[in-house]
Structures are given as structure tokens and as C-alpha cells.
Amino acid sequence: MNRKSKIIIGFAVFFAALLIVLFFARKQFVGGPGSPTVEGSRAVIDGGIKIPGWNGRVDGAEERAGMTLDAARLAQEGDALHVTTGPATTYWETNATASGDFTVKATFNEPKYMNRNSHAHPYGIFIGGNDMGTSGQTELYCAAFGNGKFIVRGFGPEPFRMNGLLGDSNNAVHRAAGRGQPVTQDISVSVRGNKVECSVNGSIVASYDKAALIGEGKLKSTDGFFGLRFAHNTDVLVSALAMSKD
């Protein structure tokens, strides 16, 4: 085999190996559940859950990196919940469960867009929470970014993705005027019959059959706990969190 052939084969092997690495790392892009971070999750000051009756769990990847709930903060601020992360975290109230047909909604106000990060990070609603607070925790969430994008993701208990690799753009999702500017999103997740829908600011941005969400590697059920979901390094005020039966 001549030298030129060896070089060509060497490059082919290198690129094949690179493609394999990227394939197995595909769910590890920033913004996905359990994903590594670009700037790293930064623990907050005076962290922990400051409201009685609330619970939380940081993502498995954050736990493996040594992060705990004390590295994020959930506190009452007037009529709003003030959440500051820290590690990517899920929060729920002790008795906050829903079954059958229902809608969970809340308003999310990011007072200073990208206050704690170098790029947009999402926050939103989760449903279908089971085995909460354990390594087997399952949930489905719809979350919005202040740049006009949204994601639908879950844990089953390993991370799974329901829409675009880095989320999808939708005109219904509000965009901040710039870094440090406020942006607000009304987010809801509804279960109606065999459909699960995510709405942002009054418009349905994603709809799925239940069958696509339940099963091996996904949800146990759309019944279960509901609550709030935040990516790492966010600073958000949440108001009007409520569940209604449809």
C-alpha cells in the first residue's frame, strides 16, 4: 500500500471516529436535559428551598458534578416565586398532582434576559412526574427561551427529546429586546384525551399523541406530579402557577 493510500485511509478512519463520537453525544448539546454546560453551572448565594411544602431535584448530570439543591434557590418574592439556578433543577409542591385531562400553566418573567449566562437558557412547566426525587424520576416539560425558541424534553429517567436538537423557533414565543432586558412568557401544558399540547403565550407550539410520550425510556404516565423546570444559570420570577381540570 502506497503512502497516499495510507493517508486517505487514515483520514477516513479519523472522520468515522469523529462521527461516532458526535452521534453518541447528540443529546448532550446545551439546552437538553442533563446536558453539560458551556460556562458551567454556578452555585447561587444562600441557596436551597425557602418555601415550606416545596421539593426539588437537580439533574443527574449536575449531581454527578457535585451540585445539590443548595446550589440553586427557590424563594417567595411578593406574589411570585423567585427561582435562581445554579444547576438545572425541577421543583414541585408536595401535593401538586394531576390526572386525566388537565392544564398546568404559569407566567415566567425573566427580569434581565441572560442575567446569569452567556446565551439563552429555558424555563417552563413539567407534567407526568413520577418517582420524584429519585434517580428514576420521570417528567415531560415544555420550556421557552427569551430568544423566541422553545423545547419539549423529558426524563424517562434518561433524557429524551421531543422537538429540534436545539429547540424550535415560534413567533408565539416572546423575544427580549436585548441582554439585560425583561421578557415574559405564559406557558401551559395540557392533556386532553390522547393528546398532550404545549402552549406559549396563548398559541399551541407543539402537540403529541400520548402514545409517543409513554413507554420504555419515556413517561410512565401523563398522570403524576406537575411543577416548574429550569435550565442551569437562570434567574426567573414565576407567578400564577395553577392546575385546572379540562
Side-chain angles (χ1 to χ4, degrees):
M1 184 181 296
N2 60 38
R3 184 171 180 274
K4 183 177 180 180
S5 296
K6 290 180 179 179
I7 292 173
I8 292 172
I9 292 172
F11 273 112
V13 171
F14 171 80
F15 283 113
L18 180 62
L19 288 173
I20 291 171
V21 170
L22 290 174
F23 176 81
F24 284 105
R26 68 195 185 282
K27 68 182 180 182
Q28 296 299 310
F29 282 92
V30 171
S35 65
T37 68
V38 169
E39 67 278 333
S41 299
R42 300 190 306 278
V44 305
I45 297 173
D46 186 29
I49 296 175
K50 309 296 184 179
I51 311 173
W54 278 83
N55 308 278
R57 183 174 187 267
V58 303
D59 287 4
E62 302 279 18
E63 288 184 333
R64 292 189 289 275
M67 287 289 185
T68 69
L69 282 173
D70 287 336
R73 190 173 194 269
L74 168 66
Q76 193 78 39
E77 190 170 301
D79 294 331
L81 303 173
H82 190 176
V83 176
T84 312
T85 58
T89 307
T90 297
Y91 291 109
W92 67 94
E93 289 186 272
T94 301
N95 298 316
T97 60
S99 60
D101 289 359
F102 61 87
T103 295
V104 178
K105 62 181 180 180
T107 297
F108 296 80
N109 173 26
E110 190 174 4
K112 295 181 179 180
Y113 175 56
M114 294 182 9
N115 180 33
R116 290 180 52 80
N117 45 63
S118 61
H119 57 280
H121 286 190
Y123 35 83
I125 296 287
F126 85 84
I127 65 162
N130 283 280
D131 298 319
M132 303 304 288
T134 75
S135 60
Q137 181 170 313
T138 59
E139 65 187 69
L140 176 79
Y141 62 89
C142 177
F145 300 76
N147 64 356
K149 287 188 173 184
F150 74 97
I151 54 173
V152 182
R153 303 284 191 264
F155 294 97
E158 291 302 309
F160 65 90
R161 179 176 64 246
M162 294 306 300
N163 72 335
L165 184 64
L166 299 177
D168 290 321
S169 296
N170 192 287
N171 290 335
V173 183
H174 294 157
R175 296 172 179 265
R179 185 166 191 167
Q181 297 302 305
V183 60
T184 298
Q185 317 282 2
D186 292 325
I187 303 174
S188 68
V189 178
S190 297
V191 179
R192 298 187 180 96
N194 66 353
K195 289 287 186 181
V196 178
E197 297 175 337
C198 169
S199 296
V200 181
N201 300 317
S203 295
I204 296 172
V205 296
S207 179
Y208 305 96
D209 290 336
K210 274 188 182 180
L213 300 171
I214 298 173
E216 185 68 25
K218 293 187 178 177
L219 298 181
K220 291 186 173 181
S221 171
T222 54
D223 297 346
F225 284 86
F226 65 85
L228 306 171
R229 166 72 190 175
F230 301 86
H232 67 283
N233 298 343
T234 59
D235 186 12
V236 183
L237 294 169
V238 184
S239 58
L241 173 64
M243 186 277 292
S244 60
K245 297 292 291 182
D246 293 345

